[in-house]
Amino acid sequence: MKLPEPPSEQSFPSPLHHPRVATVLGRWLGVAIAICFLTGLLSHFAQVTPGWLTIPTRPASLYRVTQGLHVLSGIVSVPLLLAKLWTVYPKLFAKLPWPPSKQALATALERASILVLVSALALELFIGFLNTLQWYPWPFPFKETHYALAWIIIGALLVHLAVKLPLISTHWRRTSADRTPIPQHPVDSLPPAITGLSRRGLFRTVAGAGTLVGIASIGQSVPAFGPVAVLAPRKPNIGPQGLPVNRTAKDAGVAAVNADWRFTVTGPSPLSYSLDQLRALPQNRSDLPIACVEGWSQGARWEGIRIRDLLRLCGAPEGSPLRVVSMEKGGFYATSELPPQFAEDPLTLLALRLNGSDLDLDHGFPARLIAPNRPGVFQTKWVHRLEVLR
Ligand SMILES: Nc1nc2c(c(=O)[nH]1)N[C@H]1C(S)=C(S)[C@@H](COP(=O)(O)O)O[C@H]1N2
Ligand SMILES: [Mo]
C-alpha cells in the first residue's frame, strides 16, 4: 500500500496564506507589541527604578493610563497573534533545502528564531493574562520572568523583521495583484479552498475579534465599560466605598485596631500619635487613582495628612527618602519606599478617609498611603509607621 504524500506548503492554496496578509496582520500585531513593550518598561521601571531614573509624580494618573494600555494591548495581541500564526502555518510544511547548504543553514536559523519568538510571546501573553486574574500558579517570580521574556521577544522580533524585510517591503503596499477579487464560486482550475473567506473578510474578522476582547477587558479601568467587561476580574466601582480590594484585611492577616493604637514616625524628633490625634492634624484632600499592576484602576477621593507635613513635624530635611511600614506581617507589600519627589508632593497623603468616610478595614483602616503616579503595589495599606531613612 502506498502511503499518502505528506503535506507540503503547496497543500494550502488559500490566498489568506499570502505574504500580503501576513504583512498586514504583522503590522497590527507589531503596533500592539510595541505599545505593550514600552508601557511594560515604564511599569517595570516604576517598580524597580534604576539609579539614573527619577520617576515624575505628574501627571498624577499617568501610571493608570500606561498600565491600562499595557494590559489592553497585551490582551488584544492574543487574537492578532493567533491570526498571524494561522496565516503563516503552511510554512511549517516547507521543505528544508537538501543537501545542507549555506541557504539551508540560514533557513534553519531563521526557523529557530521564530520558534523562540512565538514560544516566548505565547508564554508572555499567557502568564500576563493569568496575572490580571491575580493568579500565579507557577514556581518562578512573575515580575522578573515577565520582564526577561519581554527582552527575549524584542530581540527575536528584530531578527525576524530583519530577515523578512525584503518580503515585508514587497507587500507593504497593496499591489494590483492583491486587489484582484477572489472568485466567490468554485472555479474548475482552482482548488476549492480558494472560494472561502476573502482577505477583507479575514481582516474584518480579526479586527472585530481584537475589538471584542478589548471591550471585554477595558472595563477594569474605564468604569463606563464595567458592565460588559467579562474578561475583567475586577470592576472599577465594585467594592467597599466604590473601590475594588486587591487583598482583604483577612487575607493579609490584619485585624481592626483598638483604642491604644499608635502611629509613629521615626526621624530626627520621633512622633507618636493616637488615631484621634492624627485626625486633629491639618487634613488635605487628593483625588487620586489606585492603579494596580494587574490592570484594574479606579479614581477616588482621599483625605488625610500630607506626608511632607509629617516630615517637617519630625524635623526631617527636604529630600529625605522614607519607608512606609504596614501592620501586615511579611509579604511583598508590607513595606514600601517613598522616594523624595513623592514624599514632598502635596498630593501624597497618609489617608484616613476614602470617598467621604473613614477607610474600610479592607482599604487599609486606620491609615494608608496614597501618592500620585505610582503602581498600586506601593499604595501601602494599614500603615502604622513611617521611617525617615536618612
Ligand atoms: N499592606 C498592604 N498594602 C497593600 C497591599 C497589600 O497586600 N498589603 N496591596 C497593594 C496592591 S497590589 C494594590 S493594587 C492596592 C489596592 O488597594 P485597595 O485594596 O484599597 O483597592 O493596595 C496595595 N497596598
Ligand atoms: Mo496591585
Side-chain angles (χ1 to χ4, degrees), residues 75-374:
I75 288 178
V76 168
S77 294
V78 174
L80 299 185
L81 175 64
L82 292 176
K84 178 89 200 307
L85 290 178
W86 180 82
T87 296
V88 298
Y89 83 90
K91 293 248 168 289
L92 281 176
F93 300 97
K95 300 208 167 40
L96 271 179
W98 195 261
S101 61
K102 245 189 176 164
Q103 211 222 316
L105 184 70
T107 314
L109 282 178
E110 186 209 336
R111 286 197 191 175
S113 80
I114 292 180
L115 181 70
V116 171
L117 176 58
V118 173
S119 43
L121 191 54
L123 183 62
E124 185 79 324
L125 294 175
F126 180 67
I127 65 175
F129 183 68
L130 291 200
N131 177 272
T132 71
L133 307 179
Q134 210 187 21
W135 189 21
Y136 302 79
W138 40 70
F140 50 79
F142 172 79
K143 193 172 64 191
E144 288 74 8
T145 312
H146 202 59
Y147 182 63
L149 278 172
W151 283 109
I152 294 173
I153 291 164
I154 289 302
L157 185 59
L158 290 178
V159 171
H160 178 55
L161 289 176
V163 170
K164 295 290 185 194
L165 204 56
L167 200 61
I168 295 170
S169 60
T170 309
H171 297 283
W172 190 258
R173 284 169 197 285
R174 199 152 57 129
T175 63
S176 53
D178 292 323
R179 235 170 270 134
T180 313
I182 292 155
Q184 291 301 316
H185 48 83
V187 175
D188 286 348
S189 58
L190 294 170
I194 213 156
T195 61
L197 192 65
S198 70
R199 278 184 196 166
R200 180 175 295 177
L202 176 73
F203 294 152
R204 285 192 180 153
T205 307
V206 175
T211 309
L212 216 62
V213 295
I215 289 175
S217 56
I218 186 70
Q220 57 193 320
S221 33
V222 182
F225 286 94
V228 292
V230 290
L231 288 180
R234 299 183 198 72
K235 315 286 180 268
N237 40 17
I238 295 181
Q241 299 174 291
L243 184 76
V245 170
N246 221 53
R247 193 138 173 262
T248 61
K250 194 162 162 265
D251 288 344
V254 177
V257 298
N258 51 31
D260 53 3
W261 180 79
R262 306 292 291 181
F263 174 82
T264 56
V265 184
T266 64
S269 43
L271 308 171
S272 172
Y273 296 111
S274 70
L275 183 53
D276 283 336
Q277 286 169 329
L278 277 181
R279 286 174 175 148
L281 291 172
Q283 304 290 306
N284 285 275
R285 176 182 150 177
S286 298
D287 292 312
L288 289 175
I290 296 263
C292 181
V293 296
E294 285 155 0
W296 65 268
S297 62
Q298 169 69 316
R301 194 176 79 227
W302 308 91
E303 290 157 274
I305 306 117
R306 282 186 177 144
I307 295 293
R308 71 173 188 198
D309 291 351
L310 289 166
L311 287 181
R312 293 304 90 78
L313 281 169
C314 84
E318 234 175 85
S320 309
L322 260 189
R323 180 178 296 131
V324 182
V325 184
S326 172
M327 294 182 280
E328 182 181 357
K329 293 280 163 279
F332 284 121
Y333 309 123
T335 65
S336 67
E337 294 201 0
L338 202 59
Q341 72 274 27
F342 291 101
E344 294 297 332
D345 192 289
L347 290 179
T348 304
L349 302 180
L350 178 75
L352 306 178
R353 291 166 68 79
L354 161 59
N355 291 335
S357 53
D358 285 350
L359 284 173
D360 188 282
L361 182 58
D362 285 338
H363 286 308
F365 181 84
R368 80 171 302 163
L369 185 77
I370 187 80
N373 191 28
R374 294 209 93 192

